[in-house]
Structure formats: structure tokens, C-alpha cells
Amino acid sequence: MQEASRPYSDDEDALNEVEVNGNWTPQEKALHEARLKAKAKRRLRKSSSRNSTSESFSESGDVPGGDPHSPKGKVNTNDRKSRAGKGRGLPKKGGAGGKGVWGAAGMVYEDEEPDARDPNYDESSQGDTVYATVVPEVDEKELEKMVNPIVQEYFEHGDTKEVEMLLKELNLGPHKYEFSSLAVSLSLEGKASHRELTSRLLSDLSGKLMSQSDMARAFDKMLKELPDLILDTPEAPQMLGQFIARAIADHVLPMSFLDCYKGKVDCEYARVALDRAAVLLTMKREMVRLDNVWGVGGGLRPVKHLVKEMNLLLKEYLVSGDVSEAERCLRDLEVPHFHHELVYEAVVMVLESKGDTASHMMIKLLQSFWKTGLITVDQMNRGFQRVYDELPEISLDVPHAHSIMETFVDLCYQESVITKQLRDACPSRGRKRFVSEGDGGMIKN
């Protein structure tokens, strides 16, 4: 009985001592194995009961048998202890881990240099930050689509600084020389004023966005493309030669540009262009710039020059009587906003002329311009209104100006050159009535 009342640990110690000494008996060995199996069964029952408790605990959220209204009976969802009943019940990482945790107590952090690539980098606390804008390089296939609108708008406003600003925003890369060749190609299909604007644009861009070597590459490409350009513009070789001469005179191209092609050109059209440039440079060697190689286009002409051109046009018409030639000359001036000056000069010539020949010829000319739409209603009205306003001054040199004007306006209205409102607006000077003393107040007829 005393042996049975001994603790289990004492029996194990005794068995261990026997095992160590090597004195095992069959009975003792069987008893030892039975105790080991019993111990394993107790451990298995204990672990299974603990797992079943944790499963019910996780599902219901309450401790079995506890009061749900009691603080001890509720589960603390913010508790860092393991709910599976494993571990020592201590918080993870010693309380130094998890979201919103500063770290373990007593931990000292070293000062770190701010990293601009850090997503938590604060610009306001670190000073000014410079952001580099990266513009992708323009593809060669997309270059023409992006350049054409810029050049077409430039032909309307003529502001080279705006073109320069737009080109700076584009990353043309190694294809920037193609802008010059595209601009020249578009101007070949346009007017003389467009070619004049293109020459000015190349002069202003030279040294800023493009070097002489870039310009030389552009014109070399144009010379090679002449067989294709001549299909749309038969005069392309002569025009390109004028472009080259103007570019050399403006120091856009080097003076040795023509010398590089001597004896090396097989294309007939390229030889025509280079010969044209050489002839112009030889004739205009004393001039610093070939300013008039394209003429002076449109609104770029001075007003006095435009007035002189229109006056000369009308005088030639009165001599020749060729309406089509007068129409061609007026279109070449490219100043539709200034056609009222032609109307004004035509009416003044009628007032200053002798006989009815000038009157009928001018009516025929104005009627032709009116029907073709070359002179609009607004321009026609402005031209006649200017004569109406200056009629008192004109009558000082032409005493019968009022009566001539009334007759001419009636004829213009009959030929549908002017409107009824414009005819009624013509000023008429009232006749003076003289009363003598012997007439008894009778008005002389």
C-alpha cells in the first residue's frame, strides 16, 4: 500500500534508475510500457478537449458557461493573445509589431536621409522639388501630322515666335530638320505670300532651333524629292532654287552649299534648281538679302505701295480695257480686306475724268468684280461711302463733282453694282436760288 501511495514521479524515477542500471525484469518492462500508453492517452484527451473548446469559442464568441453580460465573459477582439489556446499568452513580437505600433519600448531610431522616391516623402517639409517633364520623341510617321497644322496656322497669323514656342514643346529629336522640308513643300503648293512667310520663318529659326547643317539636310532632301514634287507643282525646281538663293542670302545655308553639288548632280530637276539659285545670287550679289525674290505678299505690303499698285491697275485698264487682266492683277495683290481702296480710286477717277468713257468702263469693271465675288458687299459699300464723306473736299478741285456723282451712282444702281440703300445715301447739294430786288420776291428758274 505504501508503494501504491507513492507518487507517479517516484515510480518513474525508480524505473529510470533500474533502466540505467540495466536490471529490467519482464514485469517491470510491461508496467513501464503500460504507463507510457496511459500517459499518451491522457495527453490526447486533453488536446482534443482544448480544440473543441476553441472551436465553440471562435463560433459563438463567448466562453462556454460564462455570462455574456459580464466583462469577463466577453471576448476581447483587440486581444493579442492566441485564441487557439496555444503559446504563452504573450503579444506577438513582444508588442513591437502590428499596424499603428511604434515598436518595442526603449527602441531608439536613427536619423535617416529623406528619400524623394519614398511614397511618404513630404515636399513641403523638405523644400522645393523640381519635377523634370519628359516629352517622348516624335515618331517619324507622326511628324507630318503634327507639323502640318502648325505651318498652316502660321500662314494665317505669320507669327514666327509662336511657331518657335510650339516646336520647343515637341521633341523632334534627330528628325527636326524635316520640319524645314515640310514647310517648304507646303509653301510650294500655296501662294507667293506663303513662300515669303516660309523664308522668313527659316531665317528666324536658324541659329535658335536649327543649325545650318540641319537646313542643309532639309534642302538636300528637297532636291532629291523634286521628281515627286513636280507632279503637283510643275514650277517646283525654279521655286526651290529661289528658296535656296534666299536662304543663302539670309545666312540660313552656308555659302559653300552650291559648291558641294558641282559636277555631282544627275537629276535634271535638281540641276535646274541649283542653276536658278546660282543665277539669282550672281545678279543680286550687291544685296544683303533677296527680299523681293517672292515679291511682297498681301498684308505685308505698305499701304502706300498698295494704293500705288491699285492706281496703276486702274490706269492700265482704262488704256487696255482688259477686264480679265485687271482681275488677275487684283487677285495677285492678295488683299481682299483692302478692295475698298480699289472702289474708292475707281470712283475718284470717274469724277476727275472728262467725258463718259471712264464712267462706262469703270461700271463694267466694278460689275465684273461684283458678279465674280472678288469685291464683296462690305468692300463696295465702304469704297462708295469713303467718296461720299470726302465729296466736299473733292468738289473744291472738281466743281461738278456732286452732279457727276449722282449720275454715276444712278448708273451703278441700274447695272446692279450697288444697293438701293447705298444709292439713296449719296449726298446731293441743293441748287442756289438767287432773288434780285426788281423781281418782287420771285424766284429765278
Side-chain angles (χ1 to χ4, degrees):
M1 294 295 294
Q2 291 180 357
E3 282 187 37
S5 63
R6 290 180 63 189
Y8 172 74
S9 59
D10 294 341
D11 295 340
E12 282 186 344
D13 293 338
L15 289 173
N16 290 337
E17 290 177 0
V18 175
E19 185 180 0
V20 171
N21 295 331
N23 298 326
W24 281 96
T25 63
Q27 297 174 352
E28 292 174 346
K29 188 175 182 179
L31 180 61
H32 178 66
E33 291 177 356
R35 287 178 176 176
L36 290 179
K37 291 180 180 180
K39 186 177 180 180
K41 289 181 180 180
R42 287 195 302 270
R43 289 180 179 176
L44 181 61
R45 286 196 299 268
K46 185 177 180 181
S47 61
S48 63
S49 64
R50 182 178 297 174
N51 292 338
S52 62
T53 304
S54 63
E55 289 175 2
S56 63
F57 175 75
S58 61
E59 291 175 359
S60 62
D62 296 332
V63 179
D67 185 7
H69 299 287
S70 175
K72 294 183 179 180
K74 291 185 178 180
V75 177
N76 187 5
T77 57
N78 296 326
D79 190 3
R80 294 178 181 270
K81 297 180 181 180
S82 175
R83 299 182 185 180
K86 299 179 181 180
R88 297 177 296 169
L90 299 177
K92 296 179 180 179
K93 299 182 182 180
K99 184 178 179 181
V101 178
W102 289 96
M107 183 178 293
V108 179
Y109 295 95
E110 297 179 357
D111 295 336
E112 297 181 359
E113 292 292 334
D115 187 4
R117 293 174 294 181
D118 186 356
N120 296 324
Y121 180 77
D122 189 2
E123 178 184 359
S124 60
S125 62
Q126 303 299 335
D128 297 335
T129 302
V130 179
Y131 295 94
T133 303
V134 179
V135 180
E137 185 176 313
V138 178
D139 188 24
E140 186 176 2
K141 298 179 181 178
E142 300 293 331
L143 180 63
E144 186 174 355
K145 296 180 181 179
M146 302 181 71
V147 167
N148 280 5
I150 297 177
V151 177
Q152 295 293 349
E153 290 180 4
Y154 169 68
F155 288 159
E156 298 296 330
H157 57 71
D159 189 358
T160 58
K161 292 184 178 179
E162 183 175 348
V163 178
E164 181 180 351
M165 179 186 66
L166 293 175
L167 291 180
K168 286 181 178 179
E169 296 177 356
L170 300 177
N171 184 9
L172 299 179
H175 307 294
K176 63 180 180 180
Y177 74 94
E178 295 188 13
F179 171 79
S180 302
S181 61
L182 289 173
V184 173
S185 300
L186 292 174
S187 65
L188 292 179
E189 301 174 0
K191 307 175 183 178
S193 59
H194 294 168
R195 293 187 281 276
E196 172 66 24
L197 289 171
T198 304
S199 294
R200 294 190 179 191
L201 178 63
L202 297 182
S203 177
D204 291 346
L205 294 182
S206 178
K208 296 179 181 179
L209 293 180
M210 299 185 186
S211 60
Q212 287 188 346
S213 60
D214 295 330
M215 295 293 183
R217 288 184 65 186
F219 279 99
D220 182 69
K221 181 182 178 183
M222 294 287 296
L223 289 171
K224 294 178 181 178
E225 293 177 352
L226 273 177
D228 297 331
L229 294 174
I230 202 171
L231 299 177
D232 297 328
T233 310
E235 299 179 355
Q238 291 81 4
M239 293 181 181
L240 185 58
Q242 294 178 203
F243 264 114
I244 293 174
R246 175 69 177 268
I248 293 176
D250 291 347
H251 304 288
V252 173
L253 290 175
M255 298 297 296
S256 59
F257 180 78
L258 295 179
D259 298 336
C260 299
Y261 291 92
K262 288 184 177 179
K264 302 179 182 179
V265 180
D266 296 330
C267 179
E268 178 184 357
Y269 304 116
R271 285 199 299 268
V272 172
L274 295 172
D275 291 343
R276 175 68 172 168
V279 169
L280 288 175
L281 290 172
T282 303
M283 294 174 58
K284 305 290 184 178
R285 187 171 295 276
E286 70 278 359
M287 298 180 62
V288 180
R289 295 168 63 95
L290 295 175
D291 291 329
N292 296 324
V293 69
W294 304 116
V296 184
L300 301 175
R301 298 172 183 246
V303 175
K304 291 183 179 180
H305 181 76
L306 289 174
V307 173
K308 185 183 296 185
E309 289 288 336
M310 290 183 176
N311 204 299
L312 182 62
L313 182 155
L314 293 172
K315 288 181 179 179
E316 290 179 354
Y317 166 71
L318 291 176
V319 174
S320 64
D322 191 351
V323 178
S324 59
E325 179 65 18
E327 182 178 347
R328 186 191 65 80
C329 293
L330 184 60
R331 290 184 185 275
D332 289 343
L333 291 178
E334 300 179 13
V335 283
H337 61 282
F338 201 60
H339 285 175
H340 62 85
E341 178 66 26
L342 179 75
V343 178
Y344 170 80
E345 294 291 337
V347 176
V348 171
M349 281 188 179
V350 170
L351 297 179
E352 295 176 350
S353 63
K354 296 180 181 179
D356 298 334
T357 305
S359 176
H360 292 294
M361 291 186 69
M362 288 301 179
I363 290 175
K364 180 181 177 181
L365 181 66
L366 294 179
Q367 186 182 28
S368 175
F369 289 166
W370 174 264
K371 289 182 178 180
T372 58
L374 188 58
I375 296 181
T376 61
V377 179
D378 178 64
Q379 296 295 315
M380 189 73 73
N381 292 343
R382 288 183 63 184
F384 273 89
Q385 191 62 47
R386 285 179 58 191
V387 179
Y388 292 167
D389 297 338
E390 297 181 10
L391 200 56
E393 299 179 3
I394 296 175
S395 61
L396 297 178
D397 299 327
V398 183
H400 302 286
H402 282 83
S403 59
I404 298 174
M405 187 67 188
E406 290 178 3
T407 305
F408 181 72
V409 168
D410 290 335
L411 291 174
C412 289
Y413 176 70
Q414 293 174 8
E415 298 295 334
S416 302
V417 176
I418 61 175
T419 61
K420 184 176 184 299
Q421 291 80 3
L422 188 61
R423 185 201 66 175
D424 297 340
C426 178
S428 58
R429 183 174 61 180
R431 298 176 181 177
K432 293 182 180 179
R433 295 176 296 180
F434 300 95
V435 180
S436 61
E437 295 179 359
D439 291 335
M442 296 293 294
I443 299 176
K444 287 187 177 182
N445 294 326

